[in-house]
Amino acid sequence: MASIIITSGEKKGEFLPLGRRTNVIGRAEALPMQVLDDMVSRKHLRIRYDETARGHAAEDMDSKHGVFINNRKITELTPLKEGDQIRIGQTTLLFTEKDFDDRESALAHYKKAGEGQRPTMIE
């Protein structure tokens, strides 16, 4: 289906399978994905599955510091695509359309995705 992987911060490597439901991400302990970052609101980001669009979309939950997708601040419901980098506070999340069985497979995917973003050096 799809997942979110924390790629920076205290909980780097944690992942959240998104499924076909609405997920809230923030600093609150009761959330399915807690982000330990002083610049993240208790309920900062909502990611929901849109049945008609057959994909996930993100929205800011009126957080103090905003939500950035690929370095652009979002102000409305924004569709997500493979490899999108989501920044909340000082923490970066990676959106992927893949599901993972465990933390190790999520980290392996993140490392592989990061390799594709490095520029090729030509001598």
Side-chain angles (χ1 to χ4, degrees):
M1 178 97 257
S3 301
I4 289 289
I5 304 170
I6 299 177
T7 59
S8 72
E10 280 189 43
K11 293 209 169 188
K12 181 178 180 177
E14 294 294 317
F15 73 100
L16 174 67
L18 296 173
R20 293 177 187 254
R21 63 187 177 278
T22 298
N23 295 276
V24 176
I25 298 171
R27 210 177 62 243
E29 286 183 34
L31 297 177
M33 178 174 269
Q34 181 189 28
V35 175
L36 301 176
D37 181 328
D38 291 339
M39 294 181 72
V40 171
S41 300
R42 286 190 322 265
K43 292 184 178 176
H44 198 108
L45 167 69
R46 179 183 297 128
I47 299 177
R48 68 171 93 161
Y49 183 76
D50 183 344
E51 200 67 51
T52 50
R54 303 188 79 171
H56 289 84
E59 64 184 324
D60 187 348
M61 296 184 71
D62 297 323
S63 65
K64 183 176 180 181
H65 297 289
V67 174
F68 295 81
I69 298 178
N70 301 325
N71 293 319
R72 287 190 172 150
K73 187 173 186 173
I74 64 170
T75 56
E76 58 189 31
L77 190 64
T78 304
L80 293 170
K81 62 186 184 319
E82 177 68 34
D84 277 347
Q85 300 284 322
I86 305 166
R87 184 168 46 84
I88 57 175
Q90 296 178 332
T91 302
T92 307
L93 313 171
L94 172 70
F95 173 80
T96 179
E97 301 205 0
K98 297 179 177 16
D99 277 330
F100 304 101
D101 294 326
D102 54 35
R103 184 173 191 251
E104 288 73 30
S105 57
L107 275 174
H109 176 78
Y110 163 61
K111 288 177 184 174
K112 186 175 180 182
E115 289 172 4
Q117 295 175 355
R118 291 188 195 134
T120 304
M121 299 201 44
I122 302 173
E123 293 183 31

